Amino acid sequence: MIRLQNIRLNYADKRVLDGLTLDLSANGITCLHGPSGCGKTTLLRLIAGLAVPDSGTVTGLPKKPALLFQEDRLLPHLAAEENIAAVLPKHRIGEARNWLAKVDLAADANLRPRELSGGMRRRIALARALAYGGDFLLLDEPFTGLDTALTKRMAWLIRETGVPALVVTHARDEIALLGGRVLEVSGLPLRIL
């Protein structure tokens, strides 16, 4: 169980989290739904250990979180398959091609990010996060740039991993595809409704 108690966090003079208390299950999928700019990404960064609260306590953080940022963050000098292999230990590098197949991009294994569409880059970034093998998925808008059919397939892939996840989304149809618990948020500072 990930537990945040009375968390306060500011960026410069902007209060993003103010007294937030939240328990997240170490099982299943939780969708964080709310408007842009209300602190959802900050909450993900906090749980990933990339942000530190100004006050409050955080316990039960995942030991090996797999994080998908809003930006794809692919390495521009590496091909699609190499981008996935970059997060794998040597004995698992052969799995990279399988992950490309799971996101319908096996034929594009040798293309560099600049040669791919936005939706293709997003699927490679998602495949990389899933291939990493973390104990908790932190996915920030994982379906950006994907059409409805691809979104359905990628949601199925996320569910199929069986890894607990916190998914940030703006779209209610994505929540329906992922299932699980829904946290409605608004802010700033972020509030759970």
Side-chain angles (χ1 to χ4, degrees):
M1 169 92 56
I2 300 169
R3 177 163 286 161
L4 294 85
Q5 292 181 299
N6 203 26
I7 300 297
R8 286 186 170 70
L9 191 146
N10 294 332
Y11 284 128
D13 61 347
K14 186 185 285 188
R15 173 104 1 135
V16 181
L17 304 175
D18 187 14
L20 178 69
T21 295
L22 175 65
D23 289 337
L24 289 172
S25 173
N27 297 309
I29 295 174
T30 300
C31 293
L32 199 58
H33 179 262
S36 295
C38 72
K40 299 182 304 292
T41 296
T42 298
L43 182 58
L44 244 58
R45 291 177 52 79
L46 183 71
I47 294 169
L50 299 175
V52 178
D54 298 321
S55 65
T57 59
V58 182
T59 57
L61 289 181
K63 296 195 182 332
K64 187 180 173 187
L67 182 59
L68 175 67
F69 293 93
Q70 280 183 0
E71 314 81 28
D72 300 323
R73 299 197 181 186
L74 298 177
L75 301 169
H77 60 286
L78 296 181
E81 184 175 357
E82 294 168 326
N83 261 285
I84 295 171
V87 302
L88 299 174
K90 288 189 186 223
H91 70 279
R92 292 184 52 218
I93 287 178
E95 295 176 24
R97 181 70 60 129
N98 294 336
W99 280 101
L100 278 176
K102 289 179 182 188
V103 296
D104 300 330
L105 291 172
D108 303 297
N110 296 316
L111 297 179
R112 303 235 183 293
R114 70 179 177 277
E115 300 170 300
L116 302 167
S117 72
M120 294 166 86
R121 289 191 303 270
R122 194 64 179 158
R123 285 184 281 156
I124 291 166
L126 177 60
R128 183 176 59 186
L130 299 177
Y132 175 67
D135 60 352
F136 201 92
L137 300 173
L138 298 165
L139 308 176
D140 202 346
E141 300 291 346
F143 310 120
T144 300
L146 304 185
D147 63 28
T148 303
L150 281 172
T151 297
K152 286 178 181 177
R153 288 202 299 272
M154 296 309 107
W156 177 87
L157 186 60
I158 291 166
R159 288 191 325 267
E160 193 66 17
T161 66
V163 177
L166 179 60
V167 181
V168 167
T169 182
H170 294 101
R172 292 214 174 272
D173 57 331
E174 294 173 4
I175 292 170
L177 291 171
L178 289 165
R181 178 180 177 200
V182 180
L183 296 176
E184 293 287 344
V185 297
S186 69
L188 280 176
L190 182 139
R191 291 182 306 278
I192 297 176
L193 304 175

